[in-house]
């Protein structure tokens, strides 16, 4: 006769604890893997992000703006005309046709595409890296 203390196997409680532990580990691993493999905007060079933020701020504080395929023209709050365009291998900003400020260097191509509520900026660098940024257009 076999006594109950000598039987081998797992009790229901042991199986439930094991399954709960496995489920807990799996629920923690999934977010960690997605964080490790998730691509963020921080992979872009700082200069490209700064260009996007600068243009967004210019648009937010403007009286009006117009887009062409290659340039952005802004009338600022002081009624000055601000032109942002590619010149050679740089993106530059000029105010009332005088002076200039370099916003981004080593640029091969710059293009703007205006949508209803947004504008897309496409930048191709000389090393063939491509970036696309979206600007939210303020209602004027």
């Amino acid at each position: 006769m076999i006594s109950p203390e000598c039987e081998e196997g797992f009790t229901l409680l042991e199986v439930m604890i094991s399954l709960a532990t496995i489920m807990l580990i799996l629920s923690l691993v999934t977010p960690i893997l997605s964080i490790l493999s998730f691509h963020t905007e921080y992979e872009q060079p700082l200069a490209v992000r700064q260009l996007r933020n600068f243009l967004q701020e210019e648009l937010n504080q403007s009286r009006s703006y117009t887009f062409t395929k290659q340039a952005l023209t802004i009338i600022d709050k002081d009624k000055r005309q601000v032109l942002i365009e590619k010149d050679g291998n740089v993106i530059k900003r000029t105010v009332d046709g005088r002076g200039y400020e370099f916003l981004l260097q080593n640029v091969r191509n710059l293009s703007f595409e205006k949508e209803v509520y947004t504008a897309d900026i496409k930048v191709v660098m000389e090393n063939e890296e491509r970036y696309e940024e979206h600007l939210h257009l303020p209602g004027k």
Side-chain angles (χ1 to χ4, degrees):
M1 178 171 236
I2 300 175
S3 68
E5 291 114 20
C6 295
E7 289 185 27
E8 294 183 20
F10 299 104
T11 65
L12 181 60
L13 181 62
E14 291 171 330
V15 171
M16 295 298 283
I17 290 173
S18 299
L19 286 175
T21 304
I22 290 171
M23 295 302 286
L24 180 66
I25 291 171
L26 288 176
S27 69
L28 295 175
V29 167
T30 304
I32 291 172
L33 289 177
S34 67
I35 288 171
L36 293 176
S37 66
F38 186 73
H39 301 289
T40 65
E41 69 177 37
Y42 294 107
E43 292 177 0
Q44 295 178 350
L46 179 61
V48 175
R49 287 187 313 215
Q50 287 177 332
L51 173 67
R52 185 235 173 258
N53 292 338
F54 181 79
L55 293 178
Q56 185 66 62
E57 189 65 28
E58 287 270 352
L59 286 170
N60 290 345
Q61 297 192 16
S62 68
R63 288 179 174 252
S64 65
Y65 48 83
T66 55
F67 288 92
T68 63
K69 185 75 174 161
Q70 301 286 322
L72 166 62
T73 304
I74 297 172
I75 305 299
D76 69 6
K77 62 185 177 186
D78 298 325
K79 298 182 181 177
R80 299 178 302 177
Q81 181 180 355
V82 177
L83 177 65
I84 297 169
E85 64 182 344
K86 180 181 170 291
D87 184 21
N89 69 341
V90 297
I91 297 175
K92 72 176 186 176
R93 175 183 183 263
T94 57
V95 179
D96 286 334
R98 296 184 309 238
Y100 56 89
E101 174 183 9
F102 291 145
L103 301 178
L104 188 61
Q105 297 180 357
N106 302 322
V107 176
R108 176 171 288 163
N109 191 22
L110 170 70
S111 65
F112 294 96
E113 290 182 24
K114 184 177 183 276
E115 303 293 329
V116 177
Y117 299 109
T118 62
D120 295 335
I121 307 167
K122 295 178 182 173
V123 178
V124 180
M125 305 300 285
E126 288 181 342
N127 61 3
E128 296 299 327
E129 290 180 355
R130 298 174 185 274
Y131 303 100
E132 184 172 337
E133 294 290 334
H134 306 285
L135 299 172
H136 299 282
L137 300 176
K140 299 290 178 189

